[in-house]
Amino acid sequence: MAVYMKDKIRNIAIVGHSGEGKTSLLEAILFATKAIDRLGSVPAGNTVSDFDQEEINRKMSISLSLASTYYKDYKFNFLDVPGFFDFEGEMMAALSVADTAIIVTSATGTLSVGTEKAIETCTEKGVPMFVWVNGINKENSSYSATVEAIRAKYGVKIVPIEIPVMNGYDCTGYVDVVGKKAYDLNGKEIAIPGNLSASVEEYNGVITEAAAEADDELLEKFFSGEELTQDELFSGMKKRMNAAEIIPIVGGAAVGKPVLTNLLNNIVNLFASPAEGRKVQAVDSKGETIEIECDENGKFAAQVFKTIVDKFIGKLNLFKVASGKVKLGDQLLNTANSETEKVSALLAVKGGKTEAIDSLYAGDIGAFAKMSYTSTGNTLCDPANEVTIKPIDFPEPVISFAVSSPKQEDEEKVISSLYRLMDEDTTFKVEKNVETTEILLSGVGEMQIDILCKKVKNKFGYDVTLNEPKISFRETIKKTV
């Protein structure tokens, strides 16, 4: 497998509300880039990123999954993130390593709660954003109304860079607003439809103003009345997008016959590479805060952002290389527990499938297998250069249930299974209440807890019973009698 350097890598989180088409969009991209030869679907339960049995049963994503593909000379690492708020921890993990987020929203003509939450979270984390309006080919859908609904909330921060060309409910092409040219779905130039001319001019003005604010030289040229070149527009727009100051928006369709318009080229031309992305915050061996440069010639450092428990190969630790490079046979220091780990299995990941690789360089994402002491959030580094990367900001549990087993002899095994699942999901806890003697399972939401119980059954074969926890009443002496 070819080695990709930081300038040729794009790490992308796909986020948004549940049911908006995130998994379908990833499937369409994998199919378009020939990473798969058959287009799967969520209802059929055969997509690349929804491979867990519980995801197939529920027809929804419940865990972050990684899938890599290749386009032109670039490597795209996609992180498909669940949309339900119960799995907020999965989004925090993805955004900790993504250099750009694609926010998927439906063409309903409204701003959904999930879209708003995704934009606010990415803004808070400083992650560049790109909005994909999905389902423009559905009955009663409206790309333009959806754009205006989002612009009504976020104003000039939302920058439409494409307008779909529609024939009824069929998308037949798109208008590149930056270049003021229209193309069919095969990339052949066509005339801009008359009914879109006014929108093209309006949105081009929005792009010009947004790009001009990227630096003083462009701003001076803009105020003097000079026209910015197409290269200047793209350069300014990319600079402001990667600073999370503007959000480009486009439309397409991920279900049925996929329509990706110019999405793949936009990822190459607009999205930040790891070299252009946020600096990684860490603490060195002296306890001082440092920034780690994304440099393949630097000392190795990486953080595990997701652990997957596989009943056949054990634990898979997904990680992003912050600096340096790693290869088979390397000895790495786990700074969380001061243990040394040997790299005996290094993998590229595509959903539930893995492929052995020899090395991985700064900015890239892969997986370790067969590590004894490493789990989510741990930093692995060169033993000669000890650093600890800033912890991932996971949400705290807010709801608890008493957990037991219908078979008394299986109770310890159920608890043990839940502890193993804590390697996958750090947002739930299992602990014993010393006053009631109950074992409490605490999580972010009821759906999360229900799915954890189903995973114990699917992965380890034990039934789990949930009950309302007992309340520990206390008495106290209030007066002398």
Side-chain angles (χ1 to χ4, degrees):
M1 181 178 287
V3 171
Y4 286 80
M5 298 301 178
K6 57 189 178 183
D7 293 332
K8 295 290 186 178
I9 297 170
R10 301 290 183 269
N11 298 315
I12 306 151
I14 305 180
V15 300
H17 203 281
S18 183
E20 302 281 41
K22 300 181 298 298
T23 298
S24 298
L25 174 59
L26 175 54
E27 193 77 7
I29 291 171
L30 295 176
F31 185 69
T33 54
K34 297 181 170 52
I36 53 176
D37 54 16
R38 178 179 56 83
L39 191 65
S41 72
V42 173
N46 58 359
T47 61
V48 168
S49 60
D50 282 358
F51 56 88
D52 184 273
Q53 188 58 51
E54 201 57 33
E55 291 178 313
I56 294 170
N57 293 343
R58 293 174 181 260
K59 305 188 189 310
M60 57 177 274
S61 300
I62 61 175
S63 296
L64 179 161
S65 60
L66 168 65
S68 301
T69 188
Y70 308 91
Y71 178 68
K72 295 182 176 177
D73 296 326
Y74 291 81
K75 181 182 182 184
F76 298 163
N77 294 316
F78 287 101
L79 301 156
D80 184 19
V81 180
F84 270 105
F85 299 150
D86 286 34
F87 310 113
E88 184 183 353
E90 305 294 302
M91 181 163 70
M92 295 301 108
L95 294 182
S96 73
V97 296
D99 299 303
T100 309
I102 295 178
I103 299 172
V104 180
T105 189
S106 295
T108 58
T110 61
L111 170 62
S112 69
V113 175
T115 301
E116 190 172 352
K117 183 175 176 62
I119 291 175
E120 299 296 341
T121 303
C122 289
T123 300
E124 179 188 335
K125 302 295 181 184
V127 180
M129 292 160 275
F130 185 94
V131 174
W132 167 268
V133 180
N134 186 32
I136 60 172
N137 55 353
K138 290 183 179 179
E139 190 173 350
N140 298 322
S141 63
S142 174
Y143 171 75
S144 59
T146 306
V147 169
E148 293 309 313
I150 300 174
R151 288 181 75 197
K153 170 74 175 180
Y154 298 103
V156 294
K157 190 172 184 178
I158 303 299
V159 180
I161 63 171
E162 288 179 11
I163 303 175
V165 176
M166 305 297 294
N167 180 14
Y169 290 111
D170 290 328
C171 180
T172 58
Y174 67 96
V175 180
D176 170 16
V177 179
V178 178
K180 294 186 181 180
K181 292 182 179 180
Y183 301 90
D184 65 17
L185 297 181
N186 296 316
K188 182 182 177 182
E189 188 173 345
I190 57 176
I192 296 176
N195 65 324
L196 297 181
S197 297
S199 295
V200 172
E201 290 299 326
E202 179 192 353
Y203 293 159
N204 184 267
V206 172
I207 290 171
T208 302
E209 190 169 337
E213 293 181 10
D215 61 52
D216 292 340
E217 188 177 328
L218 290 178
L219 197 59
E220 186 177 335
K221 189 174 180 181
F222 173 73
F223 281 127
S224 66
E226 290 184 65
E227 191 170 331
L228 272 61
T229 66
Q230 193 166 336
D231 287 343
E232 287 172 333
L233 290 174
F234 255 105
S235 173
M237 191 163 57
K238 179 174 182 177
K239 189 173 181 179
R240 295 205 64 207
M241 174 186 167
N242 291 338
E245 294 171 350
I246 65 168
I247 307 172
I249 184 168
V250 302
V255 180
K257 182 182 178 183
V259 178
L260 297 179
T261 58
N262 200 37
L263 179 61
L264 300 178
N265 289 321
N266 281 326
I267 290 173
V268 168
N269 297 327
L270 279 178
F271 285 31
S273 70
E276 299 165 320
R278 296 162 294 159
K279 304 294 184 186
V280 175
Q281 304 292 316
V283 175
D284 64 15
S285 57
K286 298 176 183 177
E288 296 178 358
T289 300
I290 59 171
E291 287 187 342
I292 298 177
E293 292 286 338
C294 184
D295 179 8
E296 58 267 16
N297 297 314
K299 296 288 187 180
F300 177 77
Q303 184 177 45
V304 174
F305 63 91
K306 173 70 178 176
T307 301
I308 300 170
V309 177
D310 187 282
K311 59 184 176 183
F312 297 112
I313 60 176
K315 289 197 302 184
L316 272 182
N317 291 308
L318 304 185
F319 68 96
K320 180 183 180 182
V321 183
S323 174
K325 56 183 178 290
V326 63
K327 62 183 187 299
L328 288 173
D330 283 353
Q331 297 282 345
L332 305 177
L333 174 67
N334 185 326
T335 59
N337 46 40
S338 300
E339 295 284 355
T340 300
E341 298 269 27
K342 182 179 179 180
V343 181
S344 56
L346 189 58
L347 307 168
V349 179
K350 187 167 69 179
K353 297 180 180 179
T354 59
E355 180 183 352
I357 54 177
D358 297 324
S359 59
L360 215 60
Y361 285 70
D364 212 344
I365 295 177
F368 293 122
K370 302 178 182 177
M371 285 195 165
S372 304
Y373 309 105
T374 301
S375 58
T376 302
N378 291 173
T379 297
L380 293 164
C381 64
D382 186 326
N385 186 52
E386 184 176 340
V387 294
T388 302
I389 295 173
K390 180 183 174 183
I392 300 169
D393 187 19
F394 288 115
E396 291 293 323
V398 295
I399 188 171
S400 299
F401 287 91
V403 61
S404 60
S405 172
K407 299 178 182 177
Q408 191 171 357
E409 64 271 20
D410 285 347
E411 285 201 6
E412 286 189 11
K413 296 172 183 175
V414 166
I415 305 307
S416 176
S417 300
L418 285 169
Y419 273 114
R420 289 186 65 185
L421 289 177
M422 286 176 74
D423 286 328
E424 284 192 335
D425 186 351
T426 61
T427 63
F428 79 91
K429 294 179 181 176
V430 181
E431 56 189 1
K432 185 175 182 177
N433 186 312
V434 294
E435 295 179 329
T436 64
T437 70
E438 289 182 316
I439 302 297
L440 298 183
L441 173 58
S442 306
V444 178
E446 289 187 41
M447 180 179 287
Q448 179 198 26
I449 290 176
D450 181 55
I451 287 172
L452 286 169
C453 296
K454 294 291 194 300
K455 281 189 173 184
V456 170
K457 175 66 175 176
N458 295 337
K459 292 192 174 189
F460 308 107
Y462 304 117
D463 291 308
V464 182
T465 301
L466 294 176
N467 293 296
E468 291 287 333
K470 294 176 183 176
I471 297 174
S472 180
F473 292 102
R474 294 184 176 88
E475 293 181 339
T476 186
I477 298 171
K478 300 195 71 175
K479 63 181 180 178
T480 302
V481 296

